[in-house]
Amino acid sequence: MSESKPDTPLIPPSPSRKLPDFKKSIKLKYVKLGYHYLITHGMYLFLSPLVVVLAAQLSTFSLQDLLVLWDHLRFNLISVILCSTLLVFLSTLYFLTRPRPVYLVNFSCYKPEDARKCTRQIFMERSGLTGSFTHENLEFQRKILERSGLGESTYLPEAVLRVPPNPCMAEARKEAETVMYGALDELFAKTSVKPKDIGILIVNCSLFNPTPSLSAMVINHYKLRGNIISYNLGGMGCSAGLISIDLAKDLLQVHPNSYAVVISMENITLNWYFGNERSMLVSNCLFRMGGAAILLSNKSSDRRRSKYRLVHTVRTNKGSDDKCFACVTQMEDSNGKIGVSLSKDLMAVAGDALKTNITTLGPLVLPMSEQLLFFATLVGKKLFRMKIKPYIPDFKLAFEHFCIHAGGRAVLDELEKNLHLSDWHMEPSRMTLHRFGNTSSSSLWYELAYTEAKGRIKKGDRTWQIAFGSGFKCNSAVWKALRNINPAKEKNPWMDEIHQFPVDVPKISTI
């Protein structure tokens, strides 16, 4: 590979192509929303000091004081009964209303066979052999690919690589089965959980929604039990994986002693674009084959063997705004070819959604020192009209690891700059984009698998997963490691080649 510098940029620099500077506009209502989430469990915060004071007071009692107290209670039976009743009531209320902990027992990422590998040169050759694209649009795809950050070992399904391509329902089902069953077989082998033990199943795939559904295909293949609670989420974009996690979390709150399986994937076969609308051609250059399966549990007995505990999920939806709603749209072009159109406003919309999400998340995860600095500068700017920039909290103080959806190089570059992250923090996202491409909602799990394979996960570490999706949505999940992850005992798609990473990914790598 060689690096070259073109005479003219592919896309002229424009404010709409970059994420907005978060320092210039932070809305107080989203900060208030974050504190609203925090105060949801205000009862526990209120009772904690009382418990501490009571414990401190009891620790000062002598044996004589305890005897006097016993004599007093013995002759005040009504007081004893009332106090005991109140204590039992409060204890029962606490145990009934406290959220059940949700544990991530393990997860697996599907790694396609080598026959599915598609180098960038093969991509260009096969695109040319279809006869669908003009010479100008083949060059457009070449330039996109050269700047994409994708490497030479990403995967495409057989139906797309075949000459001529064979995008049909049978091939799309074949791809879905290969990815889902491959990830699930590995997950069941890792956890020793039997398919019949699964009580909740959630499958998300945005662009392929057959009948029977993907979740029904899994139920039929593994002969899951008849009373399983199953959901099939479609049309929710690359952030659907975290929506599935949030849905599983809510279901595990009301179904005790249950296992939940989440399958996140995308289907390429029926969604390859064979037209010449440039806003739809970008997806061909970025999206690749992949998927992940995640096992969640609310069983206290699973805590010791689980990898992570789910701490927070924060969902942001901008669908009520017309510009946000329309920035990623599946539609037909002027010749009737179906594709996914990406609006020129996508980066601005993503930035606004991200700003809302992290401003809401901040009060839940940031140290008090960061919150005070942030809140003080915000109040000074909003209420006292002081000419100061709002303080952007340092999220590196809240999280040790970052898994940012590998949607494309431009988004990763802008997030690195706006959140002041280092190359080390961005490494899992960049290497996932380079090695596997944009695998839609499953990319977050390839990134977490990379971090594990590098031996970076230690007990108590916090990981922030954040993803964007059509609609427009930005969703976050925060996980806390329950134990050290020993890469020598792990089986994930990086293990046999992790020694080769990280690699240098030039800004432009010519084909």
Side-chain angles (χ1 to χ4, degrees):
M1 293 297 170
S2 62
E3 186 175 348
S4 64
K5 188 172 183 179
D7 296 332
T8 58
L10 174 67
I11 301 174
S14 166
S16 65
R17 296 289 179 183
K18 294 186 177 182
L19 292 179
D21 188 346
F22 299 153
K23 294 181 180 179
K24 294 182 179 177
S25 61
I26 292 184
K27 296 183 179 179
L28 188 60
K29 65 179 180 179
Y30 300 128
V31 182
K32 290 166 61 179
L33 181 59
Y35 281 105
H36 170 73
Y37 288 168
L38 186 64
I39 294 171
T40 299
H41 304 297
M43 183 181 74
Y44 309 126
L45 298 175
F46 175 74
L47 291 178
S48 297
L50 295 180
V51 173
V52 173
V53 170
L54 182 61
Q57 187 64 35
L58 288 176
S59 67
T60 63
F61 276 25
S62 64
L63 180 60
Q64 185 63 35
D65 293 331
L66 293 174
L67 291 174
V68 171
L69 180 61
W70 169 251
D71 287 336
H72 176 74
L73 293 176
R74 189 170 54 174
F75 296 107
N76 291 272
L77 186 60
I78 295 178
S79 298
V80 173
I81 293 174
L82 288 176
C83 289
S84 300
T85 303
L86 180 61
L87 184 61
V88 171
F89 172 76
L90 291 176
S91 300
T92 304
L93 183 65
Y94 169 75
F95 284 107
L96 289 178
T97 58
R98 69 170 182 170
R100 302 177 190 273
V102 174
Y103 303 114
L104 193 161
V105 181
N106 215 324
F107 67 97
S108 63
C109 299
Y110 176 68
K111 186 176 185 178
E113 57 189 9
D114 288 344
R116 302 280 74 77
K117 279 189 178 180
C118 177
T119 66
R120 297 181 305 154
Q121 186 64 44
I122 290 176
F123 175 91
M124 292 306 304
E125 289 175 359
R126 301 296 166 86
S127 295
L129 289 172
T130 63
S132 301
F133 309 111
T134 64
H135 174 73
E136 291 77 14
N137 279 333
L138 282 172
E139 286 305 306
F140 173 79
Q141 292 182 77
R142 181 189 300 275
K143 290 179 179 179
I144 290 289
L145 204 56
E146 289 175 343
R147 293 159 173 78
S148 66
L150 271 67
E152 303 294 346
S153 300
T154 59
Y155 302 93
L156 283 174
E158 181 183 356
V160 174
L161 288 176
R162 185 180 298 168
V163 181
N166 183 30
C168 62
M169 181 63 75
E171 289 293 331
R173 282 187 174 273
K174 180 180 176 181
E175 179 193 349
E177 290 170 353
T178 302
V179 174
M180 292 192 302
Y181 304 161
L184 280 172
D185 287 345
E186 183 178 309
L187 182 67
F188 290 139
K190 281 182 175 181
T191 60
S192 300
V193 171
K194 299 177 181 178
K196 289 286 186 182
D197 295 333
I198 305 303
I200 299 167
L201 173 66
I202 303 171
V203 181
N204 66 266
C205 182
S206 292
L207 296 176
F208 181 53
N209 294 286
T211 301
S213 66
L214 296 172
S215 59
M217 290 164 59
V218 173
I219 292 171
N220 176 261
H221 180 78
Y222 290 97
K223 308 304 177 188
L224 303 184
R225 63 198 201 198
N227 64 342
I228 191 169
I229 301 167
S230 66
Y231 292 87
N232 199 95
L233 306 183
M236 304 193 81
C238 298
S239 69
L242 295 185
I243 294 175
S244 298
I245 294 293
D246 185 62
L247 175 58
K249 178 195 74 173
D250 291 342
L251 291 170
L252 287 170
Q253 296 305 309
V254 294
H255 296 281
N257 298 314
S258 295
Y259 284 119
V261 166
V262 171
I263 303 173
S264 293
M265 59 173 291
E266 194 52 84
N267 191 281
I268 306 296
T269 299
L270 280 183
N271 298 290
W272 201 254
Y273 177 60
F274 292 97
N276 283 283
E277 183 65 42
R278 291 196 172 185
S279 66
M280 298 180 178
L281 282 171
V282 177
S283 297
N284 285 10
C285 302
L286 297 177
F287 281 88
R288 295 296 184 264
M289 187 179 181
I294 304 97
L295 179 66
L296 303 174
S297 172
N298 59 9
K299 300 180 180 183
S300 56
S301 59
D302 279 324
R303 189 185 191 282
R304 293 188 64 183
R305 71 173 184 139
S306 296
K307 287 185 172 180
Y308 307 94
R309 178 174 63 86
L310 182 59
V311 182
H312 299 293
T313 54
V314 174
R315 293 171 56 179
T316 300
N317 196 313
K318 293 287 185 177
S320 59
D321 181 273
D322 290 343
K323 185 173 72 172
C324 297
F325 173 77
C327 70
V328 180
T329 307
Q330 187 180 27
M331 58 189 292
E332 294 175 331
D333 64 13
S334 56
N335 295 315
K337 302 288 186 181
I338 297 176
V340 176
S341 175
L342 305 180
S343 166
K344 64 180 181 180
D345 297 318
L346 178 58
M347 291 292 282
V349 168
D352 185 51
L354 173 65
K355 179 178 63 179
T356 303
N357 191 272
I358 65 174
T359 309
T360 304
L361 180 68
L364 303 177
V365 298
L366 288 167
M368 187 57 66
S369 59
E370 289 293 293
Q371 295 193 45
L372 290 175
L373 285 170
F374 171 74
F375 195 72
T377 55
L378 188 62
V379 169
K381 181 178 176 65
K382 298 291 185 181
L383 298 184
F384 298 104
R385 304 298 179 185
M386 297 172 64
K387 294 183 178 180
I388 57 175
K389 293 181 179 180
Y391 176 73
I392 299 301
D394 185 359
F395 279 90
K396 297 189 294 294
L397 297 176
F399 308 109
E400 284 73 33
H401 310 287
F402 295 79
C403 294
I404 301 168
H405 168 54
R409 183 170 198 153
V411 174
L412 296 181
D413 288 346
E414 289 297 314
L415 277 170
E416 179 179 3
K417 181 176 68 175
N418 272 278
L419 296 178
H420 306 296
L421 301 179
S422 67
D423 290 341
W424 188 87
H425 292 110
M426 297 299 298
E427 186 181 310
S429 298
R430 293 194 186 280
M431 293 306 102
T432 295
L433 181 64
H434 178 78
R435 176 63 180 84
F436 293 98
N438 181 348
T439 60
S440 190
S441 56
S442 67
S443 69
L444 298 175
W445 301 103
Y446 287 90
E447 293 164 19
L448 186 56
Y450 179 91
T451 308
E452 290 185 353
K454 281 292 185 180
R456 296 176 180 177
I457 301 293
K458 307 300 180 185
K459 183 177 180 179
D461 282 2
R462 297 152 298 177
T463 300
W464 180 19
Q465 291 181 321
I466 186 163
F468 308 92
S470 57
F472 191 86
K473 297 175 285 292
C474 178
N475 300 314
S476 290
V478 179
W479 304 90
K480 185 173 183 178
L482 297 176
R483 55 183 172 88
N484 295 341
I485 306 297
N486 183 358
K489 298 180 179 179
E490 289 301 308
K491 181 182 179 182
N492 72 44
W494 295 95
M495 292 312 304
D496 58 348
E497 52 188 282
I498 191 63
H499 60 281
Q500 302 173 16
F501 294 92
V503 297
D504 178 59
V505 182
K507 294 288 185 182
I508 302 174
S509 179
T510 57
I511 302 173

